[in-house]
Amino acid sequence: RRVLMALIMATLLLLFLGARQNPRPAWQSFVTVRGLQFEADCRPYIIAGFNAHHLVTNVLVLPTNHRTPGNRKGRDIVREALRQASVAGLNTLRTFAHTTDDNFPFQASPGVLNENTFRALDWLLDEARL
């Protein structure tokens, strides 16, 4: 149930990545629907997005246990990817709130949750809205 809620939360919050280009604080800016049109701050909101399904896993990667470009931490790599997307005018990110890497599960076994992976998701959601 917690994984499903995390997936829903990730999908909704990352949809609002466009708040980066808005002068209002991100927490005050929400995408809404009026008729068949998305709106943000009473203006049409056009989705220009990208898929990055393994970002939660990337957040957890460290150069001590994985090969990374420039020997950088995963968080630095993800932060740079989000910055490049923003510069390119992309305002929406779709990612998974689950991992395909057995080293970084959200749920190690039924009822056994991995807090580090949930912290990585929380960090990603926070970083994406800045």
Side-chain angles (χ1 to χ4, degrees):
R1 176 169 267 208
R2 187 170 180 187
V3 173
L4 178 60
M5 289 304 294
L7 177 59
I8 292 168
M9 186 172 72
T11 302
L12 292 174
L13 289 178
L14 291 177
L15 178 64
F16 309 130
L17 182 62
R20 290 173 176 253
Q21 299 158 355
N22 188 324
R24 291 174 42 180
W27 61 270
Q28 291 180 352
S29 190
F30 289 94
V31 174
T32 59
V33 177
R34 184 175 303 224
L36 298 175
Q37 176 70 53
F38 289 116
E39 290 186 348
D41 297 324
C42 301
R43 295 186 315 235
Y45 181 82
I46 307 299
I47 293 174
F50 65 106
N51 297 326
H53 300 303
H54 300 288
L55 285 181
V56 172
T57 300
N58 293 347
V59 169
L60 293 164
V61 168
L62 296 173
T64 55
N65 56 10
H66 290 81
R67 288 186 184 165
T68 61
N71 237 10
R72 297 183 306 165
K73 290 193 279 186
R75 287 183 181 210
D76 296 335
I77 295 167
V78 170
R79 187 177 289 121
E80 177 62 16
L82 293 173
R83 187 196 67 74
Q84 288 178 10
S86 182
V87 166
L90 301 178
N91 60 16
T92 304
L93 163 65
R94 182 171 66 173
T95 192
F96 288 151
H98 71 80
T99 62
T100 56
D101 187 327
D102 291 339
N103 294 315
F104 306 113
F106 275 94
Q107 184 170 265
S109 60
V112 179
L113 302 176
N114 183 342
E115 276 300 314
N116 286 337
T117 308
F118 279 99
R119 284 189 188 108
L121 175 62
D122 186 54
W123 181 90
L124 176 61
L125 294 173
D126 187 58
E127 193 67 23
R129 71 178 177 81
L130 297 177

